[in-house]
Amino acid sequence: MAAETPTPATANIGVTGMGVMGRNLARNFARNGYKVAIHNRTYAKTEAVMDQFGEEAQFIPTESIADFVAALTPPRRAVIMVKAGAPTDAVIEQLAEHMDEGDIIIDAGNSLFTDTIRREHDLRERGLHFVGCGVSGGEEGALWGPSIMPGGSAESYKHLGPMLEKIAAKADGEPCCTHVGEDGAGHFVKMVHNGIEYADMQVIGEAYDLLRRALGLTPSEIADIFAQWDAGELDSYLMEITVEVLRQVDQETGKPLVDIIVDAAGQKGTGAWTTQTALSLGVPVTGIGEATFARGLSSSPKQREAARGFAGEAAEWNIEDREAFIEDVRQALYASKIVAYSQGFNEIQAAAEEYNWDINLGDMARIWREGCIIRARFLNDITEAYQKDPNLPLLIADDYFYDKIVTTLPHWRRVVSLAALHGVATPVFSSSLAYYDGIRADRLPAALIQGQRDFFGAHTYQRIDKEGSFHTLWAEEDRKEVEA
């Protein structure tokens, strides 16, 4: 139960964890007219926030968790912004010890959705609401308006939703926030968002690599090309910042900064989680998976050193029509991007069915239009596709996206072929095209695989001409088939 209140409870909401994301989120709430209690494990950080930003709005600094909870008006709303895993569990328990029935704990970090399901169940049994809340947009988004993906109960959203919608980014006047679904749905959708982000970044990298290798362009020249693309259907936050990265010059050497940065990409785990979860759900997310593996490959120095000097190019680059090649690469990037989003939404569909979440896919595309890292012009088109058909089984089956894919196909195939002939790795371009060709095929070699499985493991198979499961006695002379 809550301890006796040492000071009047006047804060509308509280944030514990005064790292950059936590303090920016607290400032966002405060700037939007809410009185915000702030707390950190070490009080010095709380004091630093007050010293730097205390004049901005109404903050209530607190030294202990007990004081932090006591400062909140009921139903208490406490946002956690600490490291995922055990640290989050520890803070949840500290908060719960001081809270009353109906109070709300919000985890706004990048927690694994299965942890969120567990935490929501445990706290529900204690009479508390737990909201796993995806927040995308980085430091600037947290401060000025992120895309927000809250899960938890519908009841908790009644008390929390209006506040989140007020601080969220706005697209066409609409808040980029909605109740995603029960328990772990919010963190699941944020996880897939990050997986799509991995694929989106990788395809931009593959386009950059091809333009540089094939045409000998400088980073600055590629930045100019990307700026043109960003003015069209590839308009996105990631394309916008890529232009800035490619134009940056290292002050020490005078060289393009991108040439000074070590080519080993880091990752914090959400791409891997997205891929692992997709495997458990039986959903192919080849673009996201290959983007995740590409980061792993880039960060494998011993293996890369061992392969240094291996034979590679089978042909010399000889691009006769520079502009046509640039357009081919643009179209391949666009097609691969569409496939990555399509696969991501399929994973959300599968999880919604598996975990009994009522997720509106159109709403997910809608709240990603502003504030988040993968915000892009074509999310408006994705929103419209799912508004037309909420049960659309495949995004690229929508008329608009199918027409786009058909347009890209000759360009896409040329790029993947040329990359293979010239020894340039394009894992997402290539795997996305293979996915498209696989999913459109009338018949796949899976029939042979089923025969193999039945041969060595008696796993059975189904027939195209009658119902039931069957097994062949492969070792017998007449190859006798029996119904399983």
Side-chain angles (χ1 to χ4, degrees):
M1 298 296 288
E4 184 179 346
T5 306
T7 55
T10 58
N12 307 113
I13 196 163
V15 180
T16 178
M18 288 293 102
V20 175
M21 286 291 290
R23 71 168 175 256
N24 280 4
L25 200 61
R27 292 171 63 199
N28 192 349
F29 278 116
R31 194 181 63 254
N32 279 280
Y34 297 110
K35 186 176 285 188
V36 185
I38 59 173
H39 170 266
N40 195 75
R41 183 174 58 86
T42 55
Y43 187 59
K45 266 197 172 182
T46 304
E47 289 182 309
V49 172
M50 292 302 297
D51 290 342
Q52 193 170 0
F53 308 110
E55 299 300 318
E56 286 186 352
Q58 299 182 78
F59 293 113
I60 302 174
T62 60
E63 293 193 52
S64 68
I65 284 287
D67 289 341
F68 173 69
V69 173
L72 304 173
T73 57
R76 300 180 179 94
R77 306 167 188 88
V79 179
I80 300 171
M81 265 296 193
V82 301
K83 187 176 180 181
T88 296
D89 278 321
V91 175
I92 289 170
E93 183 56 35
Q94 291 167 11
L95 288 170
E97 288 176 359
H98 297 280
M99 284 185 151
D100 289 319
E101 185 173 343
D103 288 345
I104 307 167
I105 298 174
I106 306 105
D107 174 14
N110 277 334
S111 290
L112 182 60
F113 76 98
T114 49
D115 286 341
T116 303
I117 293 173
R118 167 180 58 80
R119 291 163 180 159
E120 195 276 338
H121 178 269
D122 291 346
L123 289 175
R124 187 176 357 119
E125 291 191 338
R126 298 167 68 172
L128 300 175
H129 294 287
F130 182 74
V131 175
C133 184
V135 178
S136 178
E139 299 172 12
E140 287 299 303
L143 179 59
W144 299 109
S147 173
I148 308 177
M149 295 150 263
S153 66
E155 178 66 23
S156 66
Y157 195 76
K158 289 179 184 178
H159 298 286
L160 182 64
M163 300 178 75
L164 296 180
E165 290 177 14
K166 192 169 184 180
I167 71 161
K170 306 297 186 294
D172 298 327
E174 296 181 316
C176 293
C177 173
T178 191
H179 182 227
V180 175
E182 298 291 317
D183 53 67
H187 273 149
F188 185 91
V189 166
K190 175 56 164 55
M191 176 190 76
V192 174
H193 163 285
N194 285 21
I196 293 171
E197 180 184 308
Y198 274 49
D200 210 341
M201 294 171 74
Q202 177 65 25
V203 292
I204 293 172
E206 290 177 17
Y208 157 79
D209 198 31
L210 282 167
L211 293 176
R212 195 154 192 196
R213 291 176 184 273
L215 301 177
L217 300 177
T218 65
S220 179
E221 289 170 329
I222 297 172
D224 292 340
I225 292 169
F226 282 2
Q228 292 175 6
W229 293 359
D230 188 48
E233 60 190 1
L234 283 171
D235 172 22
S236 70
Y237 172 73
L238 283 172
M239 186 61 75
E240 177 186 323
I241 67 169
T242 300
V243 171
E244 296 303 315
V245 171
L246 291 176
R247 284 179 175 160
Q248 188 70 33
V249 175
D250 178 52
Q251 293 186 356
E252 289 186 31
T253 64
K255 296 179 180 179
L257 182 60
V258 71
D259 288 344
I260 303 300
I261 298 172
V262 174
D263 61 332
Q267 52 185 312
K268 291 189 175 180
T270 44
W273 288 350
T274 306
T275 305
Q276 291 161 354
T277 304
L279 287 170
S280 69
L281 292 169
V283 179
V285 291
T286 55
I288 296 169
E290 288 295 345
T292 305
F293 296 141
R295 292 195 187 192
L297 185 150
S298 75
S299 300
S300 301
K302 291 181 179 178
Q303 290 77 15
R304 292 182 66 188
E305 182 60 33
R308 200 81 63 192
F310 278 13
E313 294 186 2
E316 292 289 329
W317 284 106
N318 182 25
I319 304 299
E320 296 181 357
D321 190 333
R322 177 182 181 275
E323 296 306 315
F325 180 76
I326 291 172
E327 178 61 12
D328 282 350
V329 174
R330 186 188 75 82
Q331 295 277 10
L333 191 163
Y334 187 53
S336 300
K337 182 183 176 92
I338 292 172
V339 168
Y341 279 76
S342 183
Q343 292 176 345
F345 278 99
N346 281 153
E347 183 169 358
I348 294 173
Q349 282 176 315
E353 185 174 342
E354 175 72 16
Y355 294 100
N356 197 29
W357 294 328
D358 185 18
I359 299 178
N360 184 309
L361 296 179
D363 281 349
M364 298 308 98
R366 177 179 61 79
I367 67 173
W368 289 347
R369 292 180 300 164
E370 287 293 342
C372 70
I373 302 301
I374 64 171
R375 59 185 183 265
R377 177 186 295 186
F378 89 148
L379 279 161
N380 287 309
D381 303 312
I382 297 177
T383 302
E384 290 178 11
Y386 285 112
Q387 285 175 340
K388 283 189 296 182
D389 182 1
N391 299 311
L392 184 67
L394 183 71
L395 178 61
I396 56 177
D398 173 75
D399 290 343
Y400 175 85
F401 285 106
Y402 175 70
D403 289 345
K404 288 292 184 182
I405 287 286
V406 169
T407 300
T408 69
L409 272 175
H411 307 272
W412 198 6
R413 293 193 190 283
R414 278 195 294 269
V415 166
V416 170
S417 299
L418 284 170
L421 285 171
H422 293 85
V424 178
T426 55
V428 179
F429 281 3
S430 303
S431 65
S432 299
L433 180 58
Y435 170 84
Y436 172 79
D437 283 333
I439 208 160
R440 72 176 182 83
D442 290 334
R443 190 163 173 81
L444 294 166
L448 175 59
I449 293 170
Q450 282 299 92
Q452 294 168 334
R453 293 179 71 242
D454 190 58
F455 189 106
F456 66 69
H459 292 293
T460 75
Y461 54 85
Q462 294 175 313
R463 296 175 56 97
I464 63 172
D465 54 357
K466 54 187 173 182
E467 297 291 325
S469 296
F470 299 87
H471 168 56
T472 291
L473 303 177
W474 301 93
E476 293 192 4
E477 181 122 0
D478 60 356
R479 299 290 191 270
K480 183 180 178 181
E481 181 182 74
V482 296
E483 189 164 0

